[in-house]
Amino acid sequence: MSSTSTKTSAAGGGATGFSTVHPDIIQAHILTRLDGPTLASASAASPQLHALCAEEKLWADISNSTFPSTDHPRLRQVISTFPDGHRSFFSDAFPTLNNNHRLSPAEHRRSPPASELISAVDIYYQNQLIFSKVEVTDATPEWFTCSPFRLDLLDQKETVPTPVKFEADDNTCRLNLEKNMTLSWVIIDPTRKRAVNLSTRRPVSIQKHWLTGEVQLKYTTVIAGNGKTEAAEFIQCNGVITCGGKQGGELRVSEVSLQLQDMDGKSLSGKDTLVILQDAMDGGRRKSKEGEEKERYEEFLEMKRERTERKQRRERRLDMLCIATGVTIFVAFWAYILLR
């Protein structure tokens, strides 16, 4: 008996097998320490872990810690209707959207447009939550479908305090905000039970206004457009945070907004926005690797520059053609007058 026990212990290296650990201990003391991507990976390790990782409370806690706005009563109710609850929501909302694939007509799901959109927005500075809000937008009025799409979460005179000091040195201020201020702007479609995160985690562009001194941070995701025009080949989803303040004082957030624009900078209408969002939710590929967003944005700016140059060349050729046509007509007219 002693010999058998010794052999068993030696074969197992003296360690207890993972399968012998009580499921309650795994859930309470191991899985609760994992983040979303790690928990998703763990669920694929074995049927036992898959069952344990599917626990709704685990994903609810992860969603609430990653997106504090999801603890709002309305969002809790909406997310509960998703196919797998918070797990489905997290898989839609957490990874950065990387959608440069335009759906073919066969891939389109013939579903009615969303009747409302819910924005779940969270802003962090150095991992400290400084702003969280849930905004419900009615997408049924005619003015919404016809007007340029824009969401503003702050009133005109409303500001949000931050722990950041207003720096006179532009480079210091820019580097500080680029490194430490993050944004999450999740759009939820309650009817279709899908969600999409339209902002990059960190800003891809920071600009300071020469007159007011306000600092504008852009969190831009580039996605495939509807392709109806050349300008709509790609769409930029611009999440914007504008900060201002007095020298040496506290930097305050004065604007939190979202717009969708084509390659010419023209804002999409509410109707076109609903179509783009539906395609992004259905066909948008997600990626969890951080740091590629800025490269993607710079590639988009390069495409815009090349497109602008092509457009200018076409316009110059057209101008030269018009001038040549005008001169030809003028010469022909006077030749006819003088030689007849």
Side-chain angles (χ1 to χ4, degrees):
M1 182 71 176
S2 174
S3 176
T4 304
S5 299
T6 302
K7 289 180 180 178
T8 303
S9 178
T16 302
F18 189 80
S19 60
T20 63
V21 181
H22 196 280
D24 290 345
I25 295 177
I26 297 176
Q27 279 194 329
H29 299 286
I30 300 177
L31 298 184
T32 54
R33 299 173 183 270
L34 305 182
D35 59 15
T38 308
L39 185 63
S41 298
S43 68
S46 70
Q48 180 194 13
L49 277 177
H50 180 78
L52 294 176
C53 292
E55 177 64 35
E56 171 66 10
K57 188 178 185 306
L58 281 173
W59 289 101
D61 291 343
I62 288 175
S63 295
N64 293 341
S65 63
T66 308
F67 311 104
S69 53
T70 58
D71 201 29
H72 189 279
R74 176 68 195 282
L75 275 188
R76 287 202 301 268
Q77 184 274 322
V78 169
I79 294 175
S80 69
T81 66
F82 277 46
D84 291 317
H86 281 84
R87 183 177 184 177
S88 293
F89 169 80
F90 190 88
S91 67
D92 276 352
F94 174 74
T96 302
L97 184 65
N98 181 29
N99 181 31
N100 54 13
H101 168 68
R102 188 177 301 111
L103 294 181
S104 65
E107 293 176 304
H108 277 284
R109 296 181 182 178
R110 302 301 180 183
S111 57
S115 59
E116 67 176 5
L117 299 174
I118 302 178
S119 296
V121 182
D122 300 290
I123 301 175
Y124 281 87
Y125 179 79
Q126 290 184 340
N127 297 322
Q128 175 186 345
L129 184 67
I130 61 174
F131 178 79
S132 183
K133 187 172 184 178
V134 172
E135 182 84 1
V136 180
T137 305
D138 186 358
T140 57
E142 186 176 352
W143 65 264
F144 174 87
T145 57
C146 298
S147 303
F149 176 81
R150 180 185 172 97
L151 298 177
D152 285 287
L153 299 190
L154 296 179
D155 295 332
Q156 188 173 4
K157 296 184 178 181
E158 184 181 3
T159 60
V160 177
T162 73
V164 190
K165 291 294 183 181
F166 192 85
E167 300 282 352
D169 187 346
D170 290 351
N171 289 333
T172 302
C173 181
R174 181 178 289 106
L175 290 173
N176 183 22
L177 293 175
E178 182 178 10
K179 180 180 178 181
N180 297 308
M181 188 166 285
T182 60
L183 171 67
S184 169
W185 196 309
V186 181
I187 296 285
I188 300 108
D189 182 347
T191 304
R192 301 179 59 254
K193 303 175 179 57
R194 293 302 302 267
V196 63
N197 197 335
L198 290 182
S199 70
T200 55
R201 176 174 167 77
R202 301 190 186 278
V204 297
S205 170
I206 301 178
Q207 295 180 338
K208 188 173 184 179
H209 194 279
W210 67 274
L211 181 61
T212 64
E214 290 184 326
V215 181
Q216 185 185 76
L217 295 82
K218 293 179 68 174
Y219 300 77
T220 302
T221 298
V222 179
I223 61 177
N226 54 27
K228 291 181 179 179
T229 63
E230 187 181 355
E233 182 180 1
F234 290 100
I235 302 298
Q236 49 184 333
C237 307
N238 292 321
V240 175
I241 298 176
T242 302
C243 305
K246 295 182 179 179
Q247 179 64 35
E250 181 184 70
L251 197 68
R252 301 182 71 90
V253 176
S254 58
E255 176 192 0
V256 182
S257 64
L258 177 71
Q259 278 186 299
L260 271 66
Q261 298 176 324
D262 64 16
M263 297 185 72
D264 286 339
K266 179 182 177 183
S267 295
L268 269 62
S269 67
K271 180 180 179 180
D272 289 339
T273 296
L274 292 179
V275 174
I276 295 295
L277 290 180
Q278 180 175 335
D279 287 351
M281 290 177 183
D282 288 342
R285 298 180 176 87
R286 273 73 169 175
K287 64 179 181 181
S288 56
K289 187 176 180 181
E290 191 175 336
E292 296 182 0
E293 299 93 344
K294 195 167 185 177
E295 295 179 8
R296 172 73 172 154
Y297 179 68
E298 290 172 351
E299 290 174 1
F300 174 75
L301 293 181
E302 179 64 20
M303 285 190 293
K304 282 184 64 175
R305 185 188 64 79
E306 292 175 355
R307 182 179 179 279
T308 300
E309 290 178 352
R310 289 197 302 269
K311 186 177 180 181
Q312 290 174 345
R313 286 196 295 269
R314 285 197 301 267
E315 290 175 349
R316 285 196 294 267
R317 287 196 294 266
L318 182 60
D319 289 342
M320 293 299 295
L321 179 61
C322 290
I323 292 172
T325 302
V327 170
T328 301
I329 294 174
F330 179 80
V331 172
F333 172 77
W334 282 106
Y336 173 75
I337 295 295
L338 295 175
L339 299 176
R340 67 176 181 172

